[in-house]
């Protein structure tokens, strides 16, 4: 099989293409392997909403649910067993990619219970537990970048565990995430871990920023405000990449860690499916191209990019000043940016909690039916 030329060009520009989807059907049917073989996919991300959608709509889990019911598993134990089995199987599918890229890619992410987003100790405990259950070196544990998540990130990395930091919306919080990662590397080295085997990505959400800010711009309604619609998400991500380069390419702290084998924490563009039909459906892929980045792409967006996406290698580098001007303009027209980011984080946690609760309820129903 040959790779799609559009996605191959994206990969050649330094963007690792990860699929933002996972299900048992995707694995068992060979469709995940097909994405690797034809769409340059080199990683997979999951979240509570993905698992809820997969498990509630497929019959592929019925036999396992019946087995779990027969041994009296409660709903939390059942969900853990089901989701970690899927992630472990996906890790195995991506094992060759992991080997071929020296551990850089071939990664699969699983998220801690979103109900723990504001509980540091519990997040750390579950992250370690998930790492042990899946038992694959190409696993990422997803931890949200909440205030409680930041120390959890440091402590989990200190255990030698690779972390995907999720739900990052602002550059200020992203800087705190990078600090947490560097603190974790320091501690990992003191604990005797090999820094070269610890990978991390920082998942910076894009389309949700436009959705929230566009709504506020529409409410303001002035010509100046309306002119800024659809610009904030890309500007925010470009400023994040500038912060990444500042810390990992020219910063004073990272070189000492790098001398011990430590790797940069790559920016990962998440929430890259467009939510506004007026915007190009590959906007948050084509316009976020830079070396050493990851784009985790929903299936619909992946297929759209394969069909008509374009690669703009000038879409990030050298755009920080213009991006800052966008944010200055947003402030001038009356957008309360600090409030935007507070709202987005709270909504992000809430949406994942809702999806997790729906998953628990659906699984509880299946367990009850299997016990009758």
């Amino acid at each position: 099989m040959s790779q799609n030329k559009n996605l191959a060009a994206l990969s050649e520009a330094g963007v690792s293409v990860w699929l933002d989807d996972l299900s048992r059907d995707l694995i068992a049917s060979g469709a995940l392997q097909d994405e690797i073989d034809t769409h340059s996919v080199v990683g997979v991300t999951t979240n509570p909403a993905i698992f809820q959608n997969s498990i509630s709509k497929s019959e592929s889990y019925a036999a396992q649910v019946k087995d779990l019911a027969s041994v009296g598993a409660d709903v939390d134990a059942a969900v853990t067993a089901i989701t970690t089995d899927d992630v472990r199987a996906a890790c195995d599918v991506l094992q060759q990619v992991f080997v071929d890229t020296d551990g850089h890619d071939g990664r699969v992410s699983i998220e801690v219970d979103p109900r723990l987003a504001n509980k540091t100790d519990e997040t750390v405990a579950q992250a370690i537990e998930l790492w042990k259950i899946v038992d694959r070196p190409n696993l990422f544990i997803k931890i949200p970048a909440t205030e409680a998540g930041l120390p959890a990130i440091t402590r989990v990395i200190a255990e030698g565990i690779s972390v995907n930091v999720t739900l990052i919306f602002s550059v200020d919080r992203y800087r705190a995430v990078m600090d947490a990662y560097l603190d974790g590397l320091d501690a990992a080295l003191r604990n005797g871990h090999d820094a070269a085997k610890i990978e991390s990505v920082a998942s910076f959400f894009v389309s949700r920023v436009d959705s929230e800010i566009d709504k506020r711009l529409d409410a303001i309604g002035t010509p100046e405000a309306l002119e800024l619609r659809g610009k904030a998400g890309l500007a925010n991500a470009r400023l994040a990449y500038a912060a990444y380069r500042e810390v990992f390419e020219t910063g004073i702290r990272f070189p000492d860690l790098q001398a011990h084998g430590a790797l940069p924490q790559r920016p990962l563009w998440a929430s890259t499916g467009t939510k506004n039909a007026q915007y190009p459906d590959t906007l948050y892929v084509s316009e976020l191209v830079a070396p050493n980045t990851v784009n985790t792409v929903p299936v619909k967006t992946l297929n759209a990019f394969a069909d008509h996406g374009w690669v703009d290698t000038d879409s990030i580098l050298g755009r920080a000043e213009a991006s800052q001007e966008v944010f200055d303009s947003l402030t001038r027209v009356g957008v309360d940016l600090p409030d935007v980011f507070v709202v987005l984080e709270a909504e992000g946690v809430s949406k994942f909690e809702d999806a997790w609760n729906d998953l628990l309820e659906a699984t509880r129903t299946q367990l009850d039916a299997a016990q009758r």
Side-chain angles (χ1 to χ4, degrees):
M1 296 183 182
S2 60
Q3 295 287 358
N4 172 272
K5 62 181 179 61
N6 294 341
L7 288 157
L10 187 65
S11 296
E12 289 165 7
V15 181
S16 292
V17 179
W18 291 5
L19 182 67
D20 193 30
D21 192 28
L22 185 65
S23 68
R24 194 159 294 181
D25 293 337
L26 188 72
I27 298 166
S29 67
L32 177 56
Q33 186 62 55
D34 287 344
E35 297 288 12
I36 296 168
D37 293 339
T38 65
H39 281 168
S40 298
V41 167
V42 292
V44 167
T45 51
T46 67
N47 60 46
I50 286 172
F51 280 131
Q52 189 274 333
N53 183 65
S54 300
I55 295 170
S56 63
K57 293 182 178 179
S58 173
E59 295 296 321
S60 299
Y61 300 92
Q64 186 175 16
V65 169
K66 185 175 181 180
D67 290 342
L68 289 164
S70 70
V71 297
D74 64 24
V75 65
D76 287 293
V79 167
T80 297
I82 291 167
T83 57
T84 54
D85 279 0
D86 278 5
V87 167
R88 186 184 306 108
C91 283
D92 290 343
V93 173
L94 283 151
Q95 173 63 22
Q96 191 58 53
V97 175
F98 180 71
V99 172
D100 291 344
T101 60
D102 294 325
H104 201 52
D105 284 310
R107 300 275 178 167
V108 183
S109 298
I110 187 170
E111 189 158 345
V112 295
D113 185 333
R115 296 172 298 179
L116 306 179
N118 295 308
K119 299 177 180 179
T120 302
D121 292 344
E122 291 89 339
T123 293
V124 173
Q126 193 182 60
I128 294 171
E129 178 187 24
L130 290 171
W131 182 260
K132 290 177 179 178
I133 292 172
V134 176
D135 192 26
R136 293 294 186 271
N138 52 331
L139 178 69
F140 266 133
I141 303 296
K142 289 179 77 173
I143 298 175
T146 57
E147 290 286 354
L150 293 172
I153 293 160
T154 295
R155 288 168 55 185
V156 172
I157 289 170
E159 297 292 328
I161 295 171
S162 295
V163 173
N164 175 345
V165 184
T166 189
L167 288 177
I168 306 172
F169 295 98
S170 72
V171 175
D172 285 346
R173 183 57 57 85
Y174 178 44
R175 289 185 179 277
V177 165
M178 290 188 284
D179 284 341
Y181 172 61
L182 296 175
D183 289 344
L185 288 175
D186 277 331
L189 288 170
R190 291 195 301 271
N191 292 338
H193 294 291
D194 183 354
K197 293 183 178 179
I198 303 171
E199 282 268 357
S200 185
V201 293
S203 296
F204 205 85
F205 281 52
V206 186
S207 68
R208 292 191 194 181
V209 173
D210 270 339
S211 295
E212 179 63 26
I213 290 181
D214 282 2
K215 179 174 65 178
R216 298 184 184 216
L217 292 170
D218 286 339
I220 294 168
T222 64
E224 294 81 5
L226 298 178
E227 181 64 26
L228 292 167
R229 288 178 299 185
K231 296 182 178 180
L234 293 175
N236 203 32
R238 289 162 179 161
L239 289 171
Y241 191 76
Y244 155 78
R245 295 189 71 192
E246 178 185 322
V247 171
F248 292 106
E249 295 182 9
T250 62
I252 61 173
R253 187 176 178 190
F254 184 62
D256 287 342
L257 292 165
Q258 193 172 30
H260 288 88
L263 301 165
Q265 182 188 52
R266 288 183 291 170
L268 179 154
W269 313 127
S271 183
T272 55
T274 50
K275 294 177 172 58
N276 187 329
Q278 295 180 343
Y279 300 155
D281 55 4
T282 67
L283 178 68
Y284 302 120
V285 183
S286 294
E287 294 290 345
L288 290 175
V289 179
N292 215 31
T293 58
V294 179
N295 199 308
T296 180
V297 190
V299 173
K300 183 178 179 181
T301 305
L302 184 75
N303 291 335
F305 192 90
D307 180 67
H308 53 265
W310 71 95
V311 173
D312 182 357
T313 55
D314 295 322
S315 60
I316 292 184
L317 294 174
R319 304 285 288 274
E321 184 175 346
S323 296
Q324 185 58 53
E325 289 175 3
V326 170
F327 270 71
D328 292 343
S329 297
L330 288 167
T331 299
R332 281 196 299 271
V333 300
V335 175
D336 184 346
L337 291 170
D339 183 67
V340 165
F341 297 129
V342 168
V343 167
L344 285 171
E345 181 179 296
E347 286 184 350
V349 171
S350 179
K351 286 177 181 178
F352 280 169
E353 284 182 350
D354 289 346
W356 195 255
N357 287 329
D358 288 345
L359 170 59
L360 291 172
E361 186 58 37
T363 305
R364 184 181 291 107
T365 300
Q366 292 178 34
L367 284 171
D368 291 344
Q371 290 170 337
R372 294 192 188 109

